[in-house]
Amino acid sequence: MKPTSRLTLFFYCSLPLLSLAGCGGHSSTPLSITSGATQGSARFTILWPERSAPGRLIPLMANSIKVQVRDSTNTLRATQIVARPAEGNTSTVNFPALPTGTLGVVASAYPESNGTGVSLARGAGELVIRLNENTTLSLTMQSTITEVELVATPNPLKIGQIATLSLRARDGAGSLVLTSPTRWKFTSLKPNIARILPSGYELEGRNAGTTFVTATDEESGRSAQEALTVSPDIEYKVVPIFKPETAGGMDVMAVNNQGWVTGNLRSGTSRYPFLWKLRPDQSGGDFAPIDPYPGMTETFMDAINNAGVILGHATNATTAVFFLWENGIYTTLSSDFRGALDLSDTKQVVGYGTEGSVNYSLLAQGTTLTRLPLFGQSTAQGINAAGTVVGRSLLDLYNRGYRYQNSAISLLLPPAGFTSFQAEKINSKGSVLGTCYGSASGKTSMGIATGATVVALPTPEGMSYAIGTNIADNDLVVGCAVASGSVEFALRWRNGIVQNLNNLVPLGTTLIIIGEDVSDNGLILCSNESVYSDYLLIPL
């Protein structure tokens, strides 16, 4: 319901003063009228509200009120213009010789002190003057604003850019109506897309998408709405990876520098391997079917190197085997592996074996197995082209990251505020990606070690923590953000800055939830499992 302002006139035939009361429990404007027997005189006393008052009978921009009194024939019997005083908040004006009977009263508020300009508010009512009776008239002043125009400049705007909001209020004749800048309230339907800044007349682009900005005049209740688009900083071409029609679902797992993607197709409870190859013109890609591992129920592809060799595992009801796949041929890895997690371009494989209840780190080169010289529980997680291995080892009840190079182990200690660091991936430069944990604080963060020092990566605003999946040769990291246990969107970290991947692709792309993998040269594999959408992002 549109708010209005009430102008109340009290008539006393024998008293010298009448009051004009305000509306809604806010500021009031007392108005008094006195009268004689057949003619009366009127004195209007207007109490102007404080200019900072939260609500008012008179618009904040009003500097005068024009009061007109007419008889039953619409003959103007009296008119007075009451200017807002320079000091104080009381104005008085006299109306001599008003006749008894029914009179019409019209009050209008104007921006100029002489009663000129476009009327800001107007009200009308009847005043019946009787001898020896007190008459009260409630007169409602309504804003003359009939239309509000809201403009955001620029629109669209980019992420991090500031847009300015401007307003134009008009009456029924199309004339501009002055309004108070402090009486407008601005809201954004999706503040995660664009948020209103404290100034009220500015908003900041935060994420790619479209929101609706609403401006409401708190005096008149009139409002306007503007659709505002925040454009992405497009840095990637998006190539969809469409699953075959015969497959019930698809899980993309890894990508290499050639744009070859491997993963698994789902059919009921079964899993079948696939290889998808990006076309030379980057217009799309083609599936190359892979026969499942012989004698096993399910075959899973887990990683792919830049030569197109795939690391995976196959299972049946009682057994699991780990293998390398190359040009249609499966090579089974040593049965010492209880988990095979990464491979290098020279087909070195890292993972872990088990001795009793203790896991130990394993490195395989062909048929040669190396048990890394670590004490207690440990797992080898990643390996680069130079053969440097990273992983985690349980020491003093906490996981410690480690780097294995030239037959020597060096530990990667967690940064301040964290008790554990688990090293998980390493690129060709030797930069290590891992996860930092704080046992007391419960804090979780991604971390990068470019030498012996681990640096925690920033977590996006409003998110509980973030997960990193891989690191490219230029130290670009991909992963996803998590809030309240739910994965929200895919992320990219670069040069210490965290960005939502959805802000770096064209608008209209289905929401990218998980950054599954990144190749050494920066190709990003992404997915949204809830709508079965998978993409390869190619840097522009």
Side-chain angles (χ1 to χ4, degrees):
M1 179 180 295
K2 182 176 71 175
T4 58
S5 298
R6 178 179 298 168
L7 187 64
T8 306
L9 295 85
F10 301 98
F11 172 70
Y12 304 90
C13 89
S14 60
L15 298 177
L17 181 64
L18 284 167
S19 294
L20 177 65
C23 71
H26 296 304
S27 304
S28 61
T29 307
L31 172 64
S32 63
I33 301 177
T34 59
S35 176
T38 58
Q39 283 191 338
S41 63
R43 188 173 72 175
F44 291 76
T45 301
I46 299 174
L47 299 180
W48 297 86
E50 298 294 334
R51 294 183 182 271
S52 61
R56 54 192 50 82
L57 165 70
I58 304 167
L60 187 62
M61 297 300 292
N63 284 301
S64 64
I65 291 179
K66 180 188 288 186
V67 181
Q68 294 179 320
V69 181
R70 295 177 183 269
D71 63 19
S72 59
T73 65
N74 202 33
T75 300
L76 181 64
R77 289 305 191 102
T79 183
Q80 291 282 353
I81 296 173
V82 186
R84 182 189 288 267
E87 296 181 359
N89 60 353
T90 302
S91 299
T92 302
V93 62
N94 293 309
F95 278 82
L98 288 178
T100 58
T102 301
L103 302 178
V105 180
V106 176
S108 302
Y110 290 91
E112 302 298 333
S113 59
N114 61 356
T116 60
V118 177
S119 175
L120 305 176
R122 184 180 297 116
E126 288 186 347
L127 176 66
V128 179
I129 300 178
R130 298 184 181 93
L131 288 175
N132 301 318
E133 290 187 13
N134 297 334
T135 303
T136 300
L137 169 68
S138 294
L139 187 99
T140 299
M141 294 185 73
Q142 294 184 341
S143 172
T144 60
I145 296 172
T146 60
E147 179 186 357
V148 177
E149 179 184 0
L150 172 64
V151 177
T153 306
N155 185 8
L157 71 158
K158 293 186 177 296
I159 295 162
Q161 190 176 12
I162 305 298
T164 301
L165 300 174
S166 59
L167 293 153
R168 298 182 183 92
R170 300 181 186 274
D171 62 14
S175 300
L176 289 174
V177 180
L178 291 179
T179 60
S180 168
T182 63
R183 303 306 296 156
W184 287 94
K185 180 180 180 181
F186 297 91
T187 59
S188 172
L189 181 64
K190 298 179 179 179
N192 63 313
I193 301 296
R195 64 178 175 182
I196 305 296
L197 296 180
S199 68
Y201 283 81
E202 294 179 316
L203 76 167
E204 177 188 20
R206 303 187 71 191
N207 289 290
T210 299
T211 185
F212 288 90
V213 180
T214 301
T216 303
D217 177 21
E218 294 182 315
E219 290 186 330
S220 68
R222 296 291 185 182
S223 64
Q225 192 174 74
E226 171 84 344
L228 182 134
T229 298
V230 179
S231 301
D233 294 324
I234 300 175
E235 295 188 18
Y236 294 95
K237 175 181 179 179
V238 179
V239 180
I241 303 173
F242 298 108
K243 71 177 181 62
E245 293 183 359
T246 55
M250 180 171 67
D251 301 311
V252 295
M253 300 300 294
V255 62
N256 68 7
N257 285 348
Q258 302 175 66
W260 292 10
V261 175
T262 191
N264 311 288
L265 301 175
R266 300 194 299 269
S267 179
T269 59
S270 298
R271 301 290 186 273
Y272 301 96
F274 74 84
L275 180 63
W276 181 91
K277 295 182 178 181
L278 179 67
R279 297 174 190 146
D281 63 1
Q282 299 181 349
S283 62
D286 301 293
F287 275 92
I290 296 178
D291 292 330
Y293 188 95
M296 290 294 180
T297 306
E298 295 184 316
T299 304
F300 299 87
M301 301 310 211
D302 301 314
I304 184 171
N305 70 11
N306 292 319
V309 180
I310 299 174
L311 171 67
H313 67 283
T315 63
N316 59 24
T318 59
T319 307
V321 296
F322 298 89
F323 60 77
L324 294 178
W325 178 94
E326 185 176 10
N327 297 324
I329 298 174
Y330 284 98
T331 301
T332 306
L333 298 175
S334 169
S335 59
D336 286 358
F337 275 103
R338 292 295 180 266
L341 303 177
D342 200 11
L343 82 159
S344 70
D345 287 346
T346 57
K347 296 192 287 188
Q348 292 174 294
V349 176
V350 294
Y352 64 92
T354 302
E355 189 173 72
S357 60
V358 177
N359 295 339
Y360 57 87
S361 298
L362 270 181
L363 168 64
Q365 176 71 67
T367 58
T368 302
L369 282 180
T370 301
R371 180 170 174 172
L372 303 190
L374 291 154
F375 297 102
Q377 296 270 11
S378 71
T379 301
Q381 298 275 131
I383 187 170
N384 65 7
T388 302
V389 178
V390 294
R392 65 176 187 264
S393 178
L394 185 63
L395 298 172
D396 302 325
L397 302 179
Y398 295 111
N399 278 305
R400 298 287 185 256
Y402 72 80
R403 182 187 283 116
Y404 175 77
Q405 187 175 21
N406 299 325
S407 301
I409 295 286
S410 59
L411 293 180
L412 300 169
L413 301 180
F418 296 90
T419 52
S420 299
F421 176 69
Q422 297 183 178
E424 293 154 3
K425 297 290 183 180
I426 182 170
N427 64 15
S428 63
K429 291 168 49 179
S431 299
V432 178
L433 171 68
T435 306
C436 306
Y437 297 96
S439 59
S441 63
K443 188 166 58 172
T444 301
S445 176
M446 300 312 303
I448 285 186
T450 54
T453 302
V454 179
V455 177
L457 297 176
T459 297
E461 180 182 352
M463 297 293 106
S464 304
Y465 61 93
I467 299 170
T469 54
N470 210 344
I471 182 170
D473 282 347
N474 64 352
D475 288 348
L476 182 150
V477 175
V478 299
C480 57
V482 179
S484 302
S486 175
V487 177
E488 298 292 330
F489 51 83
L491 295 179
R492 181 189 78 176
W493 288 269
R494 188 175 64 179
N495 300 326
I497 299 173
V498 59
Q499 293 174 288
N500 184 336
L501 275 175
N502 295 279
N503 293 332
L504 306 174
V505 298
L507 281 176
T509 303
T510 301
L511 181 65
I512 298 170
I513 299 295
I514 301 175
E516 301 280 3
D517 193 21
V518 60
S519 65
D520 293 338
N521 61 356
L523 302 178
I524 300 177
L525 181 62
C526 299
S527 68
N528 182 336
E529 295 179 354
S530 62
V531 293
Y532 305 110
S533 297
D534 302 289
Y535 303 100
L536 186 63
L537 307 188
I538 302 172
L540 296 175

